[in-house]
Amino acid sequence: MEIWKDVLGLEQYYEVSNLGNIKSKVRTGFTNFGERTYGGKVVKPFLSTVGYPVVNLTHKGYRKQFTIHKLVLEAFYGKAPEGMEGCHNNGVKTDCHLTNLRWDTRKNNHADKKLHGTQQHGEKNGVSKLTNEKAFLIKYSKIPIKELCKEFNLSRGCIEKVRYGVTWKHI
C-alpha cells in the first residue's frame, strides 16, 4: 500500500511515497490568461552519475536535484541525525522503498558495501589499469619488479604496491 507524505522543505509543492515515488501537489496559479491548475503528476526520476535515482524539484523558479532515498528517509523518519547518512539495506542503489532504507553511519554504510559485494576495489574501480588476474600474477610471481614494469607497462611504484599488499589487498 502506497503512503504519501510531504517532502521536507517543499511541503506545499511535492509529496513522496514509501515506495520511492515523487509527485507534485495540485495547486492553482495565475497567468496572463487567468487562473491555471498546476501539478498532480508523478515526477520522473533519472540516475545520477554515481547510479542513484534522483529528481529535479523546482520551487519559486529555482531547480534543485535530490536523491530519492534521502527524500523518502526525511519524509518518514525526519532529518538525518548528526553523522548519519542514508543506507540501502540490500545494497541496491535503485531500490528506494522505505523498508529498504535506514539512517546509519558512514562506517556501517561502507561495511554494507563489503557485505553486498558492491565495494569498488580492484577491477570494479573505474580507473583500474589491472585485472584481478594480472594483479595476482604480479603479487605472487617470482619475476623481478623491473621486468614486470616492462611486461605490464606500469611504474615501479604501482608494481611494488601490488606486490607488497598496499593495493589489491583482496587478492
Side-chain angles (χ1 to χ4, degrees), residues 1-4 16-21 72 76 96-99:
M1 182 173 156
E2 196 162 19
I3 301 165
W4 293 90
V16 61
S17 81
N18 60 328
L19 302 180
N21 296 316
V72 172
F76 288 89
C96 294
H97 291 75
L98 181 62
T99 55

Side-chain angles (χ1 to χ4, degrees), residues 86-144:
C87 301
H88 293 79
N89 295 328
N90 64 3
V92 179
K93 293 178 182 182
T94 55
D95 185 357
C96 294
H97 291 75
L98 181 62
T99 55
N100 183 47
L101 301 173
R102 72 182 191 284
W103 291 123
D104 210 338
T105 62
R106 178 167 288 235
K107 182 178 181 178
N108 288 337
N109 199 8
H110 285 283
D112 283 351
K113 289 180 183 182
K114 285 183 182 178
L115 180 70
H116 299 129
T118 56
Q119 188 175 21
Q120 293 184 325
H121 60 72
E123 287 179 338
K124 292 181 184 177
N125 183 331
V127 295
S128 175
K129 294 181 179 180
L130 294 172
T131 62
N132 287 338
E133 187 179 309
K134 288 179 181 178
F136 184 86
L137 287 171
I138 292 169
K139 190 168 189 174
Y140 297 107
S141 75
K142 301 295 181 196
I143 300 171

Side-chain angles (χ1 to χ4, degrees), residues 149-161:
C149 292
K150 290 177 185 173
E151 184 178 335
F152 293 106
N153 194 27
L154 294 171
S155 69
R156 180 176 187 87
C158 183
I159 299 290
E160 286 176 347
K161 285 178 181 177

Side-chain angles (χ1 to χ4, degrees), residues 45-56:
F46 58 96
L47 292 180
S48 70
T49 55
V50 290
Y52 288 100
V54 295
V55 288
N56 287 327

